[in-house]
Amino acid sequence: MNLIFLGPPGAGKGTYASRLGIRLDIPHISTGDIFREEMKKQTELGKLAASYINKGNLVPDEVTIDIVKKRLSEPDCEKGFILDGFPRTIAQADGLEHAEIKIDHVFNFLVGEEVLIKRMSGRRTCKRCGAIYHIETLKPKTPGICDKCGSELVQREDEKPEIIKDRLRVYEEKTAPLIDYYRKRGLLIDTDGDRPIDVVVDELVSIIQ
Ligand code: AP5
Ligand code: MG
């Protein structure tokens, strides 16, 4: 099952994809997580990505398409994958088509702007394993500490209010056109992302099966 998760920043893509990936036993591939990992290691790619991400802009298409194509050629993707945050531009979606990577469904998560801002400003992410929490809606057992690996929870660099606004603007301009792109191809499934996490994930499982 080859899936794409589409939706604005803060819609819950990473939260839903990490849970669905476990349920379906397929890898959850987040381009944002890949870039953040490279940024942590301060590689050349990480430095390049940081210069875009920390301003709320998109990393250039050529760089991103190459990374995803390479990742999808790894053996664990043979039984399927969830792409979270890719494609994010028409050029990236064309890149997938040109590579003849077949997609079964594109889930488009619908969440209002006020909720998106609350979700992003209250999000906390594990420094080591990337697990996602929220200070109100998804609290860790011990404040500031990851339930899974015991590391510190931090706020992302791109979570400052002015950068959140830029990310939402970039989403409208560059990514929202993908809704029509995939609707025209008969792949789009609109999903209400403003419901309890387990309800959303159960619905995804029932649609897929
Ligand atoms: P990326 O990391 O992909 O960020 P994003 O798309 O902006 O989305 P987020 O990760 O902020 O939100 P999400 O939808 O995953 O929500 P989450 O599950 O965390 O990308 C970051 C940057 O990298 C981009 O800005 C860009 O610069 C670059 N980049 C990445 N991909 C790229 C590409 N393809 N091309 C070019 N550049 C690229 O949830 C948010 C919060 O809400 C959490 O705290 C969570 O606990 C909570 N929550 C989630 N669901 C619920 C719910 N149902 N109920 C209550 N709380 C919930
Ligand atoms: Mg995410």
Side-chain angles (χ1 to χ4, degrees):
M1 188 57 56
N2 299 345
L3 307 172
I4 289 174
F5 279 16
L6 194 63
K13 302 179 297 294
T15 300
Y16 305 138
S18 60
R19 286 161 177 76
L20 185 68
I22 292 171
R23 298 261 298 258
L24 301 180
D25 193 26
I26 54 176
H28 160 212
I29 301 166
S30 154
T31 38
D33 286 350
I34 294 174
F35 291 137
R36 280 185 289 277
E37 197 53 38
E38 296 291 326
M39 283 157 63
K40 208 160 64 184
K41 291 192 261 174
Q42 300 196 322
T43 62
E44 284 309 309
L45 171 62
K47 286 179 204 162
L48 175 89
S51 69
Y52 293 94
I53 292 178
N54 293 341
K55 292 193 191 111
N57 292 324
L58 297 183
V59 178
D61 287 331
E62 317 79 70
V63 177
T64 312
I65 293 169
D66 273 358
I67 288 172
V68 172
K69 280 207 277 196
K70 229 176 262 160
R71 179 65 186 87
L72 293 180
S73 68
E74 288 175 28
D76 65 333
C77 294
E78 273 167 24
K79 53 187 174 180
F81 52 79
I82 306 172
L83 282 176
D84 156 12
F86 183 94
R88 242 180 165 89
T89 62
I90 299 281
Q92 293 179 11
D94 285 343
L96 276 183
E97 280 200 351
H98 292 152
E100 296 185 7
I101 294 163
K102 179 183 149 277
I103 299 299
D104 297 297
H105 301 295
V106 177
F107 288 102
N108 177 37
F109 295 100
L110 304 165
V111 178
E113 187 164 315
E114 213 177 297
V115 176
L116 295 176
I117 292 171
K118 269 198 200 140
R119 284 188 181 177
M120 276 189 276
S121 39
R123 175 171 47 201
R124 296 292 182 273
T125 308
C126 175
K127 226 168 141 175
R128 193 195 299 163
C129 75
I132 305 165
Y133 299 86
H134 191 280
I135 53 170
E136 283 169 11
T137 59
L138 193 61
K139 296 179 186 174
K141 290 190 189 101
T142 311
I145 302 293
C146 179
D147 292 348
K148 293 181 183 148
C149 75
S151 297
E152 190 193 350
L153 302 181
V154 293
Q155 267 194 295
R156 275 167 38 181
E157 277 293 317
D158 61 354
E159 253 149 8
K160 298 186 185 97
E162 63 281 11
I163 298 175
I164 289 179
K165 277 196 197 127
D166 284 339
R167 287 167 57 204
L168 290 168
R169 190 180 42 73
V170 169
Y171 167 79
E172 284 303 331
E173 198 181 303
K174 307 245 171 85
T175 308
L178 289 174
I179 296 173
D180 268 352
Y181 181 101
Y182 285 117
R183 207 187 294 285
K184 277 186 194 140
R185 285 158 175 75
L187 296 175
L188 197 86
I189 301 174
D190 283 323
T191 306
D192 177 3
D194 192 4
R195 293 177 293 166
I197 296 167
D198 290 343
V199 172
V200 175
V201 176
D202 283 347
E203 184 180 273
L204 299 177
V205 171
S206 69
I207 291 171
I208 290 163
Q209 288 170 347

